Amino acid sequence: MTVQRTLGLVKPDAVAAGSTGAILAMIQAAGLKIVALRMTRIAAVEAEAFYAVHKERGFYGELCAFMSSGPIVAMVLEGPDAIVAWRNLMGPTDSTKAGPDTVRGRYGASVSLNAVHGSDAPETAAVEIPFFFPARELI
Ligand code: DAT
Ligand code: MG
């Protein structure tokens, strides 16, 4: 077990639905420590940069429009194997295939409106965390 940090986002659908508090409670109940937390809103160009790895995908435009459509809650989570732990708690990308004990199973609606984001690897977390948080905001 390695102590890791990962980026989590509550996406605009879940913030608008008022699910932020329940999602934070699931995160804390799972034993992940929240070491940074902020509500923000990103511009479309920032969403395009954040999701640049997907720019050739057919859903890229829709994804970036959605992610910049309203407030999001960004957080850094810390714990043993936090990257996989948070991905497991999130559930699969397609919310309709996510189990009832996962965030996407409870609060996501579809493959595109899926409530939360999580870094998928240490290299990704190392880029995504500073995208939202300067080092001095990490506890
Ligand atoms: P994840 O968010 O589980 O890491 P991903 O990195 O493959 O999934 O895709 C990033 C986001 O893009 C995903 O959360 C929602 C959107 N997306 C992925 N596949 C999609 C699809 N087939 N149709 C519409 N949106 C999709
Ligand atoms: Mg991903």
Side-chain angles (χ1 to χ4, degrees), residues 9 11-12 42 47 51 62-70 72 117:
L9 299 176
K11 294 185 178 184
I42 56 174
Y51 280 114
E62 173 201 7
L63 172 63
C64 296
F66 165 58
M67 288 302 293
S68 57
S69 67
I72 61 175
H117 168 86

Side-chain angles (χ1 to χ4, degrees), residues 90-106:
M90 286 166 54
T93 306
D94 186 346
S95 304
T96 67
K97 298 188 169 73
D101 294 334
T102 68
V103 177
R104 284 168 164 169
R106 287 188 196 171

Side-chain angles (χ1 to χ4, degrees), residues 51 54 87 117-118 120:
Y51 280 114
H54 293 306
R87 295 286 309 190
H117 168 86
D120 62 8

Side-chain angles (χ1 to χ4, degrees), residues 19-96:
S19 303
T20 302
I23 292 170
L24 294 180
M26 285 179 78
I27 288 167
Q28 293 186 306
L32 285 161
K33 184 178 174 189
I34 299 169
V35 297
L37 181 68
R38 180 159 21 84
M39 182 176 278
T40 185
R41 182 170 176 170
I42 56 174
V45 289
E46 293 175 293
E48 287 162 10
F50 185 78
Y51 280 114
V53 67
H54 293 306
K55 63 172 178 280
E56 308 303 333
R57 309 289 291 276
F59 57 78
Y60 181 64
E62 173 201 7
L63 172 63
C64 296
F66 165 58
M67 288 302 293
S68 57
S69 67
I72 61 175
V73 173
M75 68 193 91
V76 178
L77 307 177
E78 181 184 271
D81 295 327
I83 293 171
V84 164
W86 172 225
R87 295 286 309 190
N88 287 343
L89 184 61
M90 286 166 54
T93 306
D94 186 346
S95 304
T96 67

